[in-house]
Amino acid sequence: MQINSREEKHFAKSEEAKPLRIKDAEGSYLISEEGKRYIDFSSGWCVGNLGWKHPQIDEAIRNFKGPTYIYPHFEYEPWFELASLLSEITPGKLTKCFRATGGTEAVEIALQAAMAHTGRQEFIAIDGAYHGNSIATQGLVGDSPFFNWKKLKPPLTEESLNDLEKLLKGKKVAAFIMEPVSMNLDVMIPKAAFMQGMQELCRKYGTLIIMDEVATGFGRTGKLFATEYFDIEPDIMCIAKALSAGAAPIGATLLNKEVGKSMQEENYPYSTYGWHPLSVAAAIASVRFFQKHWDELQVNIQFMNEYFQQRFSQMEFKKTPKMNIMGMAMHLDFGKSDYGEKVTERAFKKGLILAEGTTLFPALDIDFETAKAGLDILEKSL
């Protein structure tokens, strides 16, 4: 068959695209080339936590007068401002901040930092989780010919601690990495007893704790960072996605003082486009908005969390789902049935976009009318 279209001939896709060509996006809506408005309950998988084209962040980009680019070996005042802001808002004692272009690079830097500080080469991750698209980050949760990763099987309960200790006992593990709430494992919420026990075991065996807050950070679960639910003090934290509310690519790796010192002495990471000036302007505006409006955002998150759960409880599903919900991270689990995928596809045709597998990540500041309209479509798609 002859290939004529530019898309098929020249553009490589990693997976089958949805039949939707985006022309614009605003608030909780995506607009197609044909002008159809879709209610967005996916937020680009936890990127648009403040909706699309957020006024304050848009204004920061429009008014940006800084340099086009900064060579990484030079200095730039807004870098210091953003690093200071991130150290202020993140939990624990994360005082040193490294620049990254996004989540994958942020995790790569975290792995390098853990090896530099401990002198160890092994890592533990949750089986089936997701931490990025590079060979190293893919190897964390899959089979890799290059690295020796260990996997801890979910669910994460107090009983899991015995398995974790077996993996740690040899004192060869540089770090244990996890999302405090595993978004790619259907919003899997660990038990508090596991999290406390995990921290104690990691301290006992000299293993660092990496909290991957790329998807969970910036309010998605109802706390500014999901780590705060569990009273964990991470040695390293990775952030990206909602850091700029999707306005520009950016990520960051935050380390405590001791790990940061080891990283700078042993293996300072180089990132050509890490913290591009325009991305930094967007990120600073985003962080400052969260600082100023976090209380009112929390009120809306709590209200919407209760409203969504109320609506779910009233819906007549063909197969009753298990509901994994924390803040504005929600997954309707239908087990091995493909019912959830069918509901997601029917909802898409009616104008509602869900994340994969009947997962919902609405904007944190979504208004009631939009939330109700989206849930009405969901109910009509059952």
Side-chain angles (χ1 to χ4, degrees):
M1 184 179 70
Q2 188 176 2
I3 297 176
N4 293 317
S5 72
R6 291 173 302 169
E7 300 82 35
E8 293 177 340
K9 188 175 182 181
H10 301 293
F11 184 70
K13 300 176 183 176
S14 59
E15 58 187 38
E16 190 65 29
K18 286 186 178 294
L20 172 60
R21 294 199 176 191
I22 302 298
K23 181 181 180 180
D24 205 353
E26 187 173 4
S28 290
Y29 288 88
L30 301 179
I31 299 105
S32 74
E33 285 187 346
E34 296 76 29
K36 182 175 179 179
R37 291 168 65 85
Y38 290 79
I39 297 174
D40 184 11
F41 277 6
S42 73
S43 299
W45 197 271
C46 306
V47 173
N49 284 7
L50 298 177
W52 307 117
K53 283 191 177 178
H54 187 274
Q56 184 167 321
I57 300 167
D58 250 21
E59 182 181 11
I61 292 175
R62 286 196 308 271
N63 296 337
F64 177 70
K65 305 296 183 184
T68 302
Y69 175 76
I70 301 292
Y71 178 54
H73 291 322
F74 295 156
E75 294 185 344
Y76 182 53
E77 179 61 33
W79 286 350
F80 311 146
E81 180 182 356
L82 180 56
S84 177
L85 285 171
L86 294 178
S87 293
E88 287 176 21
I89 66 171
T90 48
K93 301 174 182 177
L94 301 169
T95 58
K96 187 65 68 173
C97 193
F98 285 85
R99 301 173 300 110
T101 54
T104 294
E105 190 174 27
V107 174
E108 286 272 357
I109 293 169
L111 302 180
Q112 294 175 38
M115 290 190 290
H117 185 70
T118 64
R120 302 175 183 180
Q121 306 294 318
E122 296 182 0
F123 293 87
I124 301 173
I126 308 302
D127 194 17
Y130 174 83
H131 297 287
N133 288 319
S134 66
I135 290 176
T137 55
Q138 287 285 305
L140 279 168
V141 295
D143 294 324
S144 170
F146 304 105
F147 304 99
N148 183 16
W149 308 133
K150 301 175 183 294
K151 302 179 189 67
L152 182 67
K153 291 191 176 297
L156 304 180
T157 64
E158 193 168 8
E159 289 71 32
S160 308
L161 294 172
N162 290 330
D163 294 331
L164 178 60
E165 185 162 22
K166 290 175 185 176
L167 298 174
L168 292 171
K169 270 187 174 178
K171 294 189 175 181
K172 295 181 180 180
V173 178
F176 173 70
I177 182 171
M178 68 175 294
E179 291 181 291
V181 176
S182 296
M183 297 301 187
N184 279 76
L185 290 174
D186 303 333
V187 191
M188 182 184 72
I189 303 167
K191 297 296 184 183
F194 169 82
M195 295 297 278
Q196 286 303 309
M198 175 274 293
Q199 180 164 252
E200 293 169 9
L201 288 172
C202 285
R203 300 292 181 242
K204 177 180 178 181
Y205 292 104
T207 294
L208 300 183
I209 298 171
I210 302 173
M211 284 288 140
D212 180 351
E213 292 258 16
V214 169
T216 54
F218 297 96
R220 175 52 55 188
T221 65
K223 298 280 189 182
L224 196 55
F225 296 96
T227 302
E228 298 172 46
Y229 280 106
F230 304 106
D231 196 27
I232 297 293
E233 283 202 4
D235 301 292
I236 305 172
M237 179 179 286
C238 307
I239 56 176
K241 287 188 182 287
L243 172 54
S244 70
I250 192 168
T253 308
L254 289 102
L255 320 175
N256 66 27
K257 181 179 179 180
E258 294 76 18
V259 181
K261 182 180 179 183
S262 299
M263 185 59 158
Q264 287 187 291
E265 290 175 350
E266 298 291 330
N267 186 25
Y268 195 96
Y270 183 96
S271 178
T272 299
Y273 278 101
W275 287 23
H276 185 278
L278 190 60
S279 298
V280 171
I284 290 173
S286 174
V287 172
R288 291 204 178 282
F289 182 87
F290 272 101
Q291 284 183 310
K292 185 176 181 180
H293 299 281
W294 178 233
D295 287 345
E296 58 199 82
L297 278 172
Q298 276 189 303
V299 170
N300 197 60
I301 292 168
Q302 181 61 34
F303 174 80
M304 285 298 170
N305 174 283
E306 294 173 0
Y307 176 60
F308 272 74
Q309 292 198 64
Q310 175 194 345
R311 289 293 304 272
F312 292 152
S313 69
Q314 295 169 350
M315 292 183 186
E316 296 182 3
F317 295 97
K318 181 179 177 181
K319 178 180 173 64
T320 303
K322 174 188 174 186
M323 299 182 191
N324 301 333
I325 299 175
M326 182 173 271
M328 295 291 271
M330 314 174 196
H331 177 75
L332 305 178
D333 187 355
F334 297 97
K336 295 181 179 180
S337 168
D338 63 352
Y339 176 59
E341 284 72 19
K342 291 179 179 178
V343 170
T344 299
E345 186 60 32
R346 286 197 288 266
F348 172 72
K349 292 177 180 178
K350 295 178 186 294
L352 172 67
I353 296 174
L354 306 177
E356 291 83 352
T358 336
T359 304
L360 297 82
F361 297 131
L364 309 183
D365 56 356
I366 191 172
D367 61 81
F368 179 78
E369 291 75 14
T370 305
K372 181 181 183 303
L375 288 167
D376 287 347
I377 293 175
L378 178 62
E379 191 162 18
K380 294 172 183 176
S381 304
L382 302 184

